[in-house]
Amino acid sequence: MKTFACTHCGQRVFFDSTCCESCNSALGFVAERAEMAAFEIQPDGVWQRLGADATTLRYRPCQNYAVANVCNWMVSADATGTLCRSCAFTAVIPQLSLPQNQRYWYLLEAAKRRLIYTLDEIGLAIPGRGEDPQHGLMFHFLEDAPSKKVLTGHDDGLITLNIVEADDVKREARRTAMGEPYRTLLGHFRHEIGHFYWQGLIANGPWLPAVRQLFGDETRDYTQAMEAHYQSGAPADWPLNYISGYATMHPWEDWAETWAHYLHITEALNTAAHWGVSLTLPEQPAPILAAGPADDDAQRFRARLIEQWLPLAQFLNSMNRSLGQHDSYPFVLADPVIAKLVLIHRVVQAARGLPAHAWPPLFDGDIPQALPTEPVAV
């Protein structure tokens, strides 16, 4: 994620900010400009952008910003809708009669905004139900009922999240009970959107043979695979070929888990690049200056994983341990996992800038192969 500055006074601000602590200007995120802008609220309720080029930039706060205080994105003053681009994807929200649900809703929307920002940053179209009534992206944020448990998952464009995942204590309990090294709300969003893009970019398309070669045969019965996984667990040697134990369950889950890590890694590298992060290591002749991978070809992306991401992740893990926290990135990138990440990067590169109706992209016939290198511990 890029760094942001108040467009009025230049003070550093952040993606979730609503007020500049230096000049007290109201802040809002303008998605089409990818900027956190400062505003002056006009008598008619329109927010006038402050800054050198603000003469024609007039906005309204998203309804969920102005009324519910769970958003900080803006809507063009001329727009017909009242919800920002991110909030418009949410079709069902929790029951707000329960006090804790307001907080859960805020956390869910905050994580979703980061997801939408990342997808925009890497250039992927995000078709909603208005564009594709049958398969477009839509979110339901639901809570367990006495007679029915809500399962987080994806079904034909609909992503359902159990709002209990927004409760840090309960999510940590689930993470520990399931033996997971990592479980976050943003991680859930990134995993489930991987299923969405499988359906849009991979299923029945020209990329399927390459994906099937690395991830396996997705025609395996999913229900049987799930039952076997929860009965027997992941094989002991799973770190040699998979990013997580859960990824061993079925090729669909391997894809979604690896897709989530692709977003983790690319967004972390982009953030480090915008902050000007440079690492000096004894074995390196020159400092490593982090850079975003958006324009990398497959070979350069693979090199960036090894040359930049692994040292950065090792640094982040060391820093977290110094602060008494768990590792930020407690994973091993074996070479088959790197090959899968590279293939996902190629799929993303081919789809960048294309409208959803142009999916799937043309496949160039070059199926990537795993290279015989040793697993790399982070």
Side-chain angles (χ1 to χ4, degrees):
M1 178 170 287
K2 65 189 290 187
T3 55
F4 299 100
C6 172
T7 58
H8 185 223
C9 71
Q11 172 74 20
R12 186 183 300 280
V13 295
F14 300 93
F15 187 61
D16 297 316
S17 296
T18 57
C19 180
C20 176
E21 295 181 359
S22 176
C23 67
N24 292 320
S25 296
L27 298 176
F29 184 74
V30 181
E32 63 268 24
R33 297 169 64 92
E35 72 171 6
M36 184 61 64
F39 293 92
E40 182 180 54
I41 304 175
Q42 304 297 310
D44 61 358
V46 171
W47 289 31
Q48 177 73 47
R49 182 187 179 277
L50 296 173
D53 59 348
T55 54
T56 61
L57 300 179
R58 290 162 54 83
Y59 294 87
R60 291 179 284 106
C62 171
Q63 181 178 350
N64 288 341
Y65 187 177
V67 177
N69 199 30
V70 298
C71 181
N72 69 337
W73 282 25
M74 305 301 292
V75 180
S76 171
D78 300 326
T80 56
T82 61
L83 294 176
C84 73
R85 183 158 172 270
S86 178
C87 287
F89 285 113
T90 303
V92 177
I93 66 172
Q95 296 183 38
L96 300 183
S97 58
L98 300 176
Q100 70 272 21
N101 286 1
Q102 177 81 20
R103 174 65 177 168
Y104 293 163
W105 183 28
Y106 167 80
L107 293 171
L108 287 160
E109 292 292 353
K112 176 157 65 69
R113 287 193 295 275
R114 287 187 176 270
L115 172 71
I116 300 300
Y117 174 93
T118 299
L119 297 175
D120 284 344
E121 189 175 43
I122 63 178
L124 285 179
I126 318 172
R129 290 290 162 129
E131 299 163 87
D132 185 347
Q134 292 185 316
H135 311 294
L137 184 63
M138 179 171 62
F139 291 88
H140 286 183
F141 299 148
L142 303 176
E143 59 190 313
D144 290 333
S147 60
K148 184 178 180 181
K149 298 295 183 182
V150 174
L151 298 179
T152 292
H154 169 268
D155 181 16
D156 205 15
L158 169 61
I159 293 178
T160 301
L161 273 90
N162 189 326
I163 66 171
V164 75
E165 293 294 340
D167 186 306
D168 291 342
V169 174
K170 294 177 181 178
R171 188 178 63 252
E172 176 64 15
R174 291 187 174 196
R175 186 193 70 80
T176 302
M178 298 180 71
E180 298 175 339
Y182 177 91
R183 188 184 183 101
T184 68
L185 192 53
L186 182 55
H188 280 303
F189 277 96
R190 288 173 171 170
H191 174 99
E192 298 304 338
I193 205 69
H195 289 300
F196 174 76
Y197 282 109
W198 169 285
Q199 184 175 6
L201 296 174
I202 305 303
N204 303 315
W207 283 101
L208 187 57
V211 172
R212 187 174 286 167
Q213 177 173 328
L214 291 185
F215 290 87
D217 183 3
E218 83 291 347
T219 62
R220 287 171 43 205
D221 186 273
Y222 183 86
T223 301
Q224 292 180 4
M226 180 176 62
E227 292 173 352
H229 176 80
Y230 284 115
Q231 181 176 9
S232 304
D237 63 350
W238 67 261
L240 298 178
N241 295 284
Y242 299 91
I243 192 63
S244 70
Y246 188 69
T248 68
M249 188 172 83
H250 188 275
W252 286 340
E253 299 303 340
D254 190 13
W255 166 272
E257 284 284 273
T258 311
W259 177 279
H261 281 260
Y262 176 78
L263 297 186
H264 294 334
I265 292 168
T266 55
E267 189 62 4
L269 285 171
N270 285 334
T271 301
H274 281 287
W275 280 86
V277 171
S278 177
L279 298 177
T280 302
L281 303 177
E283 65 272 19
Q284 294 287 345
I288 301 170
L289 182 64
D295 297 322
D296 288 347
D297 60 20
Q299 183 176 1
R300 181 60 194 140
F301 178 73
R302 187 182 192 282
R304 192 179 300 281
L305 288 176
I306 297 170
E307 297 169 2
Q308 293 188 7
W309 171 243
L310 296 181
L312 178 62
Q314 290 163 356
F315 165 75
L316 293 174
N317 288 344
S318 296
M319 182 62 73
N320 262 29
R321 294 176 192 180
S322 297
L323 297 173
Q325 300 291 326
H326 297 296
D327 286 353
S328 293
Y329 194 76
F331 298 95
V332 172
L333 295 186
D335 188 74
V337 174
I338 291 176
K340 294 171 186 177
L341 288 166
V342 170
L343 177 55
I344 287 176
H345 182 71
R346 294 183 62 216
V347 172
V348 170
Q349 289 293 89
R352 283 179 68 190
L354 291 178
H357 63 73
W359 293 348
L362 294 177
F363 179 53
D364 61 15
D366 177 23
I367 299 177
Q369 302 291 330
L371 301 176
T373 58
E374 293 298 318
V376 183
V378 175

